Amino acid sequence: MNLKKQLTITFGILMSIPALLAITGFVIVLVSGRSYVPTPLFMEVCIALILVLILLGLAVTTWINKGVFTHIRDLNMAMDAIAQGNFVNSLSGEEVSGEIAELYKSYEDMRLKLKENSEDTMHNEQQNKQ
């Protein structure tokens, strides 16, 4: 399962928690046999809570998207360029930190080694032709 699907499932689970709490509350009221009519203030608080949780979930999802997926897309595009033989694309890890910065550093080390090997191979081929 890819990271985007996991994030979507997590978002869905987080958004279902208020609904599950509301259903649980209504079941408890039904089982207890007491008649309970929610006040308008209670309903407004529940709606506000649900809206806050949805906005929080959207904010966290957007933050993770910008913090992870954008950098992974950049790294993927740079890797595609290397696969096509273009060793010019460099990624600086200055704007990122943590694991993504380590990935950028590993990519940069790999790119430089591949570029050096490619240049050595071309130089050796030219010497052989001469």
Side-chain angles (χ1 to χ4, degrees):
M1 183 180 310
N2 67 20
L3 190 57
K4 205 166 200 169
K5 281 184 183 178
Q6 288 177 341
L7 186 61
T8 304
I9 290 169
T10 303
F11 178 74
I13 291 170
L14 284 175
M15 294 303 104
S16 66
I17 289 173
L20 290 173
L21 289 175
I23 291 169
T24 304
F26 289 127
V27 167
I28 289 172
V29 168
L30 289 175
V31 169
S32 69
R34 296 182 184 174
S35 62
Y36 176 75
V37 178
T39 63
L41 177 64
F42 177 76
M43 294 302 290
E44 289 173 4
V45 168
C46 286
I47 291 171
L49 178 64
I50 290 170
L51 289 176
V52 165
L53 286 174
I54 289 172
L55 290 175
L56 181 64
L58 288 172
V60 167
T61 303
T62 303
W63 177 61
I64 290 174
N65 185 37
K66 287 183 180 179
V68 175
F69 293 119
T70 303
H71 300 300
I72 290 175
R73 277 190 293 270
D74 292 343
L75 190 58
N76 192 29
M77 288 180 4
M79 293 281 200
D80 287 342
I82 282 185
Q84 296 172 1
N86 180 3
F87 302 109
V88 179
N89 240 1
S90 84
L91 292 175
S92 67
E94 296 172 359
E95 69 274 359
V96 294
S97 62
E99 291 85 3
I100 301 291
E102 291 175 23
L103 283 173
Y104 275 28
K105 184 183 178 317
S106 296
Y107 164 81
E108 199 57 31
D109 292 343
M110 179 190 68
R111 182 189 71 82
L112 292 173
K113 286 179 185 175
L114 286 171
K115 183 178 180 183
E116 182 181 318
N117 287 342
S118 175
E119 289 170 353
D120 287 346
T121 302
M122 289 175 57
H123 180 70
N124 289 339
E125 285 177 4
Q126 285 177 354
Q127 283 183 342
N128 287 341
K129 285 181 184 179
Q130 289 176 355

